[in-house]
Amino acid sequence: DQQVKQNSPSLSVQEGRISILNCDYTNSMFDYFLWYKKYPAEGPTFLISISSIKDKNEDGRFTVFLNKSAKHLSLHIVPSQPGDSAVYFCAASGELIFGAGTRLAVHP
Amino acid sequence: NAGVTQTPKFRILKIGQSMTLQCAQDMNHNYMYWYRQDPGMGLKLIYYSVGAGITDKGEVPNGYNVSRSTTEDFPLRLELAAPSQTSVYFCASSPHRESQPQHFGDGTRLSIL
């Protein structure tokens, strides 16, 4: 019973275009969400977060959108760069419930 | 500026052996965590600690033990290694629990044969 789901295991995007990574959750008590980025043989690194009192948070090329009624969040990367190629995890609240991750490949 | 340091990076164990995965952080963080990541899955919380002398179970604690004698160190102990414990283990720390990103180590890849 996954409380946080990332239904797309992989995504391929052309350099310069938008990457949209999606995440769904089931527990309406979650009030804080984070996105982490992970390169091979490294630990996850924090990318961006959003509180449930907001519906959008932006940091440079990265924007996270939260739709509480749909229990859905998404990460937009614009423009996508080859260095963005990694696995992206969404996670929820305190001890962190992680999704399974989406592998993003940005090709020239 | 080491952050979170995990040792060893790789280890192969035989069934029934025991070992300790080491984790140290130099950021004076109160909270520390152990996760495991199985192939194609997200990270699952094994144990966490809110400060020296205090530990608590996460989602998948069976087969593991932890201790937190200092703020800096949070070792994870496997007493009787089983093939189901083959995984990549990540240690993390954060200043607080809520609304604070966790800082992760680079992981320990453990194979049990």
Side-chain angles (χ1 to χ4, degrees):
Chain A
D1 182 25
Q2 291 181 277
Q3 296 190 65
V4 177
K5 293 183 182 180
Q6 293 177 257
N7 291 319
S8 298
S10 63
L11 176 67
S12 182
V13 171
Q14 192 169 19
E15 181 179 6
R17 307 293 287 266
I18 184 171
S19 296
I20 300 176
L21 295 88
N22 294 303
C23 181
D24 297 296
Y25 61 96
T26 58
N27 190 339
S28 58
M29 297 301 291
F30 289 149
D31 59 1
Y32 197 74
F33 303 89
L34 306 93
W35 284 94
Y36 284 82
K37 177 179 179 179
K38 185 183 180 305
Y39 292 116
E42 295 183 8
T45 56
F46 170 71
L47 191 59
I48 192 169
S49 62
I50 188 166
S51 165
S52 61
I53 64 174
K54 295 185 175 182
D55 56 16
K56 176 183 175 181
N57 189 26
E58 191 172 355
D59 183 2
R61 296 186 297 114
F62 302 92
T63 303
V64 57
F65 295 92
L66 176 62
N67 182 334
K68 285 190 295 181
S69 61
K71 296 190 181 69
H72 177 83
L73 64 154
S74 61
L75 174 68
H76 293 212
I77 306 173
V78 183
S80 301
Q81 299 174 354
D84 296 329
S85 298
V87 178
Y88 290 79
F89 293 97
C90 67
S93 285
E95 289 105 34
L96 296 188
I97 309 294
F98 280 83
T102 296
R103 182 177 301 278
L104 173 65
V106 180
H107 52 90
Chain B
N1 191 10
V4 178
T5 302
Q6 291 185 238
T7 55
K9 293 190 183 302
F10 305 96
R11 184 73 183 268
I12 298 175
L13 284 182
K14 294 182 179 178
I15 295 172
Q17 286 185 320
S18 61
M19 79 162 293
T20 300
L21 282 67
Q22 301 292 343
C23 176
Q25 53 97 3
D26 61 0
M27 297 171 283
N28 201 32
H29 286 170
N30 289 322
Y31 286 80
M32 295 188 75
Y33 313 80
W34 274 105
Y35 294 89
R36 59 177 287 173
Q37 184 189 16
D38 299 327
M41 305 290 287
L43 282 71
K44 292 189 182 296
L45 183 66
I46 305 171
Y47 271 95
Y48 68 98
S49 169
V50 305
I54 306 171
T55 63
D56 210 345
K57 296 178 180 179
E59 184 183 356
V60 290
N62 291 343
Y64 306 95
N65 281 299
V66 293
S67 60
R68 183 95 182 271
S69 57
T70 66
T71 300
E72 294 78 20
D73 300 300
F74 190 39
L76 177 71
R77 178 87 177 159
L78 283 72
E79 291 293 351
L80 290 171
S84 61
Q85 294 177 305
T86 294
S87 190
V88 181
Y89 291 83
F90 290 100
C91 179
S93 71
S94 65
H96 306 289
R97 181 172 174 177
E98 298 290 338
S99 307
Q100 291 289 331
Q102 295 182 6
H103 299 258
F104 284 83
D106 285 339
T108 294
R109 184 175 297 274
L110 181 63
S111 295
I112 299 163
L113 306 174

